[in-house]
Amino acid sequence: MKKCSFCGVPESEDTPLVYGENAYICENCVKAAYKVLYGDEVTTNDIQEDIIEVAKEFKPKDLKAFLRK
């Protein structure tokens, strides 16, 4: 079973995962990463479309490497 490499939530119909070569990331972890990068003043409604587009562009291993810097 696939799980988010960051928080461990299992993949489901309600919780799809973006995945790459050796890592997976859920929507909640993408949102959390976005807030870390751009601040808490941004609401989920403001960034939802941006999150989806950004997540499609990166493989989880790339996001993980970036967040570990």
Side-chain angles (χ1 to χ4, degrees):
M1 173 178 273
K2 297 174 186 171
K3 294 181 180 180
C4 177
S5 300
F6 296 88
C7 70
V9 68
E11 182 177 44
S12 70
E13 190 173 306
D14 295 330
T15 309
L17 299 176
V18 177
Y19 57 93
E21 197 171 309
N22 294 311
Y24 303 91
I25 189 167
C26 69
E27 182 179 359
N28 288 333
C29 287
V30 171
K31 287 178 184 178
Y34 192 96
K35 284 186 176 187
V36 166
L37 294 172
Y38 299 105
D40 285 333
E41 70 279 354
V42 179
T43 68
T44 300
N45 291 336
D46 293 335
I47 63 172
Q48 188 171 8
E49 290 298 320
D50 288 343
I51 289 171
I52 292 168
E53 290 305 312
V54 169
K56 288 179 183 177
E57 293 178 20
F58 293 96
K59 293 181 179 179
K61 69 178 183 175
D62 298 331
L63 288 173
K64 188 174 182 179
F66 177 80
L67 293 172
R68 289 184 178 225
K69 286 183 181 180

